[in-house]
Structures are given as C-alpha cells and as structure tokens.
Amino acid sequence: MPRLRKRGSHVRLESALLLFFAIGLLFLFTRTLNKSLDAAGLKIEAGDLRSVVAQAALIAGVAAQGKMTATFFRKQLNMLQDRVDKTLQKLSMAEPKSEIESKLAVAVQLARASRAELSKLGSAFGAREETAMAKRELEDLARQLWSLEQAVAA
Amino acid sequence: MHNLLELFLGILSAMGGFVDIGELVFTLNAGAKFGYSLLWIMLFGTVGVIVYGEMAGRIAAVTHLGIFDIVRDRIGFAAGLATLVAANLVNVMTCASEIGGIAIILKLFLGWPYRFLIFLVLFFLLAAVWFLPFKWIERTFGLLGLFMVIFIFSAVALQPDWSRVAAGLAPNVPEVREQSDYFLYAYFAVALFSAIMLPYEIYFYNAGGVEDRWKPTDITVNRFTSGLGFALGSLLAASLIGVGAEYLRPHGIADALLPGAAALGPMELYGKVGLAAALAGMFFAFSGAAIETALSAAYSFAQFWGWPWGKFRGPKNAARFYFAWIVVFSLAALLTLTGIDPVELVEYSIVFSIVILPLTYLPVVAVARNKAIMGKFANGRLANVLGWFYLIVSTLAALAAVPLLIVTHGGKG
C-alpha cells in the first residue's frame, strides 16, 4: 500500500500528545498523595458529601413508596456510607489552610452527622414512618452542606 | 427479506451496544451539573463517530485491513508502538471499569460480595467470548442492551421542558455560579466528546467488518449500520442527560454514585420493573463494552505485530490473538480486584482516550481518502471535509484534555 509522506509536524504532534498522556498519568498518581486542603478542596468535599446525602434522601423517598427491593436499598446505602467514610477520613486527616479551619470543623461535624443518618436509614427498610423521617433529616443535612459550600466559596 | 432483517438487527445491535459505563457516568453527571447545556456535544460527537465509523467499516469492506495495520504503516513503527501501548493502557482501564460496573450491578441485584462477583463476571465474559461466534456476541449483547430504552421512556415521562432541550442542541455556554464552573463545563464537553468517539469503538467496528467478511457490496449495510445504529445509540445516551437534568439535578445531586443512582429515576417512575430493566440494560451494555475493549486490544496487538487474528479462525489458528484477549480480561479483573473505584477509573480512561484519539483517526482518514488504496470507494468530498474537520477538533480537544483534568481537580470542580 502506498505510504503517506511523513512530515515533521506529525512527529511533533504525536510527541506532544504522548507527552500529555504521560503528564495525565503523573497527575493521577500525585493526586492521591496530596493531603493539604484549601478552600477549593473543601468546597469539593462538601459538594461530594451533599450529593451523597441527597442521594440517600432520594433512596429513602423511593423506598417509602414501596418501589425498591431490599437488596438494592441495603447495597446502595452501603456504598454511599463507604463514600461518606472516605470523605470523613480525608477531612479528618487534611492539613487545612488557616482561613478554612473553622469551616473544616463544620464539615467534619456534618460528615459525622451524615454517617449517623445513613446508618439509621439502613435499618429502616420497610418501616415507612422511620424512612420518611430519615428522608427529612437527610434533606436538612443536604441544605446545611449547601450553605457550607456557599460560605466556603465566598 | 433476509438482508433487510440482517440490516435491522445490525442497526439495533449497534444502538444497544452504544452506551458503556463511561458514557453513563458523563451523560448522567453532565445532566445533573449542567442540565441540557451539553446536549449539543452529543449531537456533534455523534456526527463524528458516524463519519469515522463509516470510514473504518468501508476500509474493512474494501481492504480487509485492521486499524493497527494502517497505524503501523502510516505513522511509522516508533509512534505506532507508542500509540499501541497508550491505546491498550486505556483499553485495560476501560475494560476494568466495565467489569467493576457489572459487578456493582450484580451486587445491587443479588447482594453477593463484590470481589466474588468480579471473578464471576470474569468467567462469564471469558466463556461468552470463547464459546459464542462473533455475530452472536454482537447480537446478544447489542440486542439485550436495548433494555436501556427504559431511560428514554424515563426521560420523556419526566416531562422535560422541550424548549430547553431544543436550546441545548445548539452550542451554548450556560449560566454558572462561579468562574471555575466554566472550566468544569469545558472539561465535561471534552470528556463527553471523548466518551462518544472512543477509539476502541472504531477498532472494534472495523475488525467486526473483517470478522463478518464484509465485501465492497456491503458498503450500503455499513452506511446504514453506522449511521442509524450510532444515531439511535446516541439518542439513548442523550436520554441519560435528560434523566440527570430532570431527576438528579432538582434533588441537588451533582455527582451521582453510579451505576446504582442511574436506576433511581426508572425505579421511581416504573417501580421494580423499572429497576430490573435499568439494571439488565446496564448489565448487557457494560458486558458488551467489556468484550469490545478486550477484543479491540487483541485485534490491535495482532494487527500491529502481524499475527493471524479473528474469532472466525478459532484458537488453533489464532492462538496469540486468543491469548491476548484472555490476558486483557485477566489484567482488567486484577485491576478491579485492587478495590479501585470503577467510576473514577473510567473518568481517567475517557480523558486519556481523547489524547490518543487523533493518533488512531489520522491514519483512518488518510487511508479512506486514498484512491490508490480504496479505488472508487475512496472518500467523497463531504467525507473528506468532515474527516479532517473532526480530526482537527479532536486534536484540539486532546491538547485541552489533560490541562482541564488538572485545573478541575480531576473533574470535581
């Protein structure tokens, strides 16, 4: 088959793309080593936590309508709990910049409260009133986390 | 009549096999974060994947060459080898994410331990590829992946504001709360584009043409399959943006725990039937994608090194090709067994995919337009213009991908 004439620009482009690929891989590995926490990092963690808590509230709502299987309920909540545990661990071990120390303390407190609510919800499958109550508590926590995010962003 | 049925099944298989875990993650989260604002990227990327899918299928029908046959010939041994290594690193990462995703789905359905399910999934996939003929693999997983249409029903049942949907089809920049959200939007645009134009889909589609012994007379079938099949598949993926926008976003969920969270919308709307359809659809779609990535890796190795390849040859006549996909499945399962989060893994594999995309698409367009190779089946003017246009866009996206990954803290914000 006739070959394409190879040009210098192709080689430069290929090298650039492969270099970017390597930088990306390097970023992937260094990300896991970084423990310092700034405002942007705290906002991300609070946002993650809010998403988890909001999903748990949603699960509680669907379960209260009797539309969910017990296995799905338990396993999905377990995974959400794992995520809260990871966030809590990250927040507890973080070395915060001085300007976010008080907000980090609030985040840790909310993460602990989230974990407690999730574990309460985990044992409430089939009990409509308890599930509905857990849903309300979780929605309240989600609102507090949202306020925290806004405060960190400001 | 038989040919029409074949064409119809081919289109449906392409549709059902279109969505994988990467698309699920980025479409649902794109909808949850930005509503319908990124729908235009779906439309834009779909035209791109149709253009390159059609070219890759036409090359298979006319020349019976694989993508990495032409990668090695066109960009030279050294750059070709680097592309091969990078492409297969991405293939293993993607395959691992699919295996992890399937294991999570089974866990949500059966409640069995995750690591045990990874082994079960590995054996299931190995057995499926070993025992099923190529066409059956395509059809079984493609057609059963159509359970995913539950997401189209859900997106419509959630009663979207159709004027907002239509507005999202035109390029736009959404109103955001903070400056950093613009970078996040750009990151999602690049990642969605990459998720739609994933290189392994093109390797697999091209190799499938060779496996199915396409001839130049099959070029019309190729046009319909790639055109309609990918377009319908993309509609399925777009419905996931709808579910994210209409169901997750109003509840304040910006980063869903997938794949389970994807089933919540269908479950609320259709109860346990909705849950079963969503889990079954994702199970078959991810299984099909895991097989595609493992086979794509084996095809690319075999094509690059000149080994005999193809399911149709059997293990005796293509031993190294068979060995290669078994190794890829096993490596991917091992990676998943380390406990790595499959969703986080697929986010990285999608970003790395865009970086290598131009390296594999450049040789495709170069061969497809070459009259000395393709004869009267070479690209027309429209295919040439679109081919070069998408190559330039994917190169720009490739150059932006890693900086955006870093600026957005790995797509977190």
Side-chain angles (χ1 to χ4, degrees):
Chain A
M1 145 169 94
R3 291 176 67 89
L4 255 184
R5 196 154 53 89
K6 200 163 159 60
R7 289 196 300 243
S9 59
H10 284 169
V11 179
R12 279 196 293 276
L13 180 63
E14 285 149 16
S15 310
L17 290 174
L18 291 168
L19 181 69
F20 270 60
F21 192 90
I23 293 171
L25 279 180
L26 196 66
F27 168 76
L28 182 66
F29 290 115
T30 51
R31 213 170 96 83
T32 53
L33 302 174
N34 191 7
K35 280 185 185 172
S36 73
L37 192 73
D38 56 7
L42 181 57
K43 185 172 166 282
I44 289 170
E45 298 303 334
D48 265 0
L49 205 52
R50 174 174 55 86
S51 274
V52 169
V53 170
Q55 281 172 83
L58 204 51
I59 287 172
V62 180
Q65 298 171 50
K67 291 178 172 176
M68 190 178 284
T69 63
T71 309
F72 184 94
F73 179 84
R74 273 200 310 271
K75 297 299 169 185
Q76 186 73 5
L77 275 183
N78 281 349
M79 285 189 273
L80 288 173
Q81 268 173 325
D82 288 347
R83 203 184 252 198
V84 172
D85 286 344
K86 255 188 216 167
T87 307
L88 183 56
Q89 195 188 8
K90 218 186 278 181
L91 292 174
S92 308
M93 288 169 63
E95 294 154 10
K97 302 260 166 73
S98 55
E99 68 270 19
I100 59 159
E101 267 175 14
S102 60
K103 290 178 182 111
L104 175 64
V106 176
V108 170
Q109 190 195 338
L110 289 173
R112 288 207 178 107
S114 305
R115 193 167 64 169
E117 275 310 317
L118 280 172
S119 95
K120 220 190 284 177
L121 176 63
S123 55
F125 187 78
R128 248 171 224 206
E129 262 183 42
E130 280 176 50
T131 316
M133 202 163 75
K135 183 177 184 285
R136 282 195 296 275
E137 295 287 339
L138 286 162
E139 283 170 346
D140 184 46
L141 271 172
R143 274 190 291 274
Q144 290 182 54
L145 283 159
W146 174 250
S147 305
L148 176 66
E149 270 181 78
Q150 299 308 300
V152 173
Chain B
M1 191 65 198
H2 175 73
N3 285 347
L4 272 180
L5 181 67
E6 281 288 304
L7 181 63
F8 181 64
L9 290 176
I11 290 168
L12 287 184
S13 304
M15 179 188 179
F18 191 81
V19 174
D20 72 348
I21 190 168
E23 261 154 359
L24 181 98
V25 167
F26 279 105
T27 48
L28 265 172
N29 282 333
K33 282 186 202 314
F34 300 107
Y36 293 103
S37 295
L38 282 159
L39 261 185
W40 66 278
I41 286 286
M42 291 292 309
L43 188 65
F44 183 69
T46 303
V47 176
V49 79
I50 290 172
V51 167
Y52 274 91
E54 192 279 327
M55 278 192 231
R58 185 154 34 90
I59 290 171
V62 175
T63 67
H64 305 289
L65 286 172
I67 298 292
F68 271 83
D69 285 323
I70 56 180
V71 163
R72 181 173 171 162
D73 189 76
R74 296 284 137 174
I75 67 173
F77 179 81
L81 183 62
T83 307
L84 178 77
V85 171
N88 284 303
L89 196 62
V90 170
N91 273 335
V92 171
M93 283 165 78
T94 312
C95 189
S97 319
E98 309 288 354
I99 289 176
I102 303 165
I104 292 175
I105 288 163
L106 290 177
K107 183 174 152 181
L108 292 171
F109 195 66
L110 302 167
W112 296 353
Y114 179 61
R115 285 195 164 79
F116 169 73
L117 286 167
I118 291 170
F119 279 109
L120 202 67
V121 171
L122 174 65
F123 289 120
F124 167 71
L125 295 172
L126 286 172
V129 180
W130 187 274
F131 292 112
L132 292 177
F134 184 83
K135 192 158 249 174
W136 277 57
I137 293 175
E138 267 184 319
R139 295 283 156 85
T140 307
F141 292 98
L143 293 177
L144 291 173
L146 287 175
F147 275 113
M148 294 277 284
V149 293
I150 191 72
F151 290 106
I152 297 183
F153 289 123
S154 303
V156 174
L158 287 164
Q159 298 180 328
D161 175 350
W162 291 106
S163 63
R164 277 173 49 223
V165 177
L169 288 169
N172 65 86
V173 180
E175 279 180 30
V176 290
R177 282 192 301 272
E178 289 164 45
Q179 197 75 19
S180 63
D181 288 345
Y182 286 118
F183 289 113
L184 194 62
Y185 181 76
Y187 171 80
F188 265 82
V190 167
L192 256 184
F193 181 67
S194 173
I196 300 162
M197 293 199 61
L198 275 179
Y200 84 80
E201 286 172 356
I202 299 300
Y203 308 154
F204 186 78
Y205 188 74
N206 159 275
V210 179
E211 289 266 19
D212 286 340
R213 321 268 175 100
W214 277 358
K215 300 179 288 297
T217 49
D218 291 312
I219 281 176
T220 310
V221 173
N222 168 49
R223 274 196 186 129
F224 275 104
T225 310
S226 56
L228 267 177
F230 287 169
L232 291 172
S234 183
L235 179 68
L236 228 166
S239 71
L240 291 165
I241 292 190
V243 172
E246 297 294 339
Y247 189 72
L248 300 179
R249 188 173 160 85
H251 287 96
I253 299 164
D255 191 9
L257 182 69
L258 296 165
L264 289 173
M267 209 183 322
E268 175 137 22
L269 289 164
Y270 305 107
K272 287 171 190 167
V273 175
L275 169 67
L279 291 184
M282 288 190 282
F283 173 83
F284 288 109
F286 296 177
S287 298
I291 290 172
E292 285 184 22
T293 50
L295 282 179
S296 294
Y299 287 134
S300 59
F301 272 113
Q303 290 161 4
F304 190 83
W305 298 111
W307 306 338
W309 59 273
K311 275 279 295 159
F312 67 92
R313 289 183 202 273
K316 274 188 189 162
N317 297 319
R320 282 173 291 189
F321 165 73
Y322 270 68
F323 181 66
W325 60 255
I326 292 170
V327 168
V328 172
F329 271 136
S330 308
L331 280 177
L334 274 176
L335 188 57
T336 318
L337 280 169
T338 60
I340 196 163
D341 178 1
V343 170
E344 204 165 318
L345 189 62
V346 82
E347 287 175 359
Y348 287 110
S349 80
I350 294 279
V351 173
F352 292 139
S353 288
I354 189 80
V355 180
I356 56 164
L357 204 117
L359 298 178
T360 41
Y361 281 13
L362 171 67
V364 172
V365 71
V367 168
R369 70 191 287 269
N370 193 324
K371 286 202 165 68
I373 299 167
M374 297 293 288
K376 63 176 179 174
F377 302 107
N379 281 354
R381 187 172 294 172
L382 180 66
N384 272 334
V385 169
L386 287 173
W388 287 117
F389 173 69
Y390 274 95
L391 190 69
I392 292 166
V393 172
S394 63
T395 305
L396 294 175
L399 293 171
V402 172
L404 282 172
L405 178 78
I406 295 169
V407 169
T408 61
H409 306 89
K412 293 280 184 187

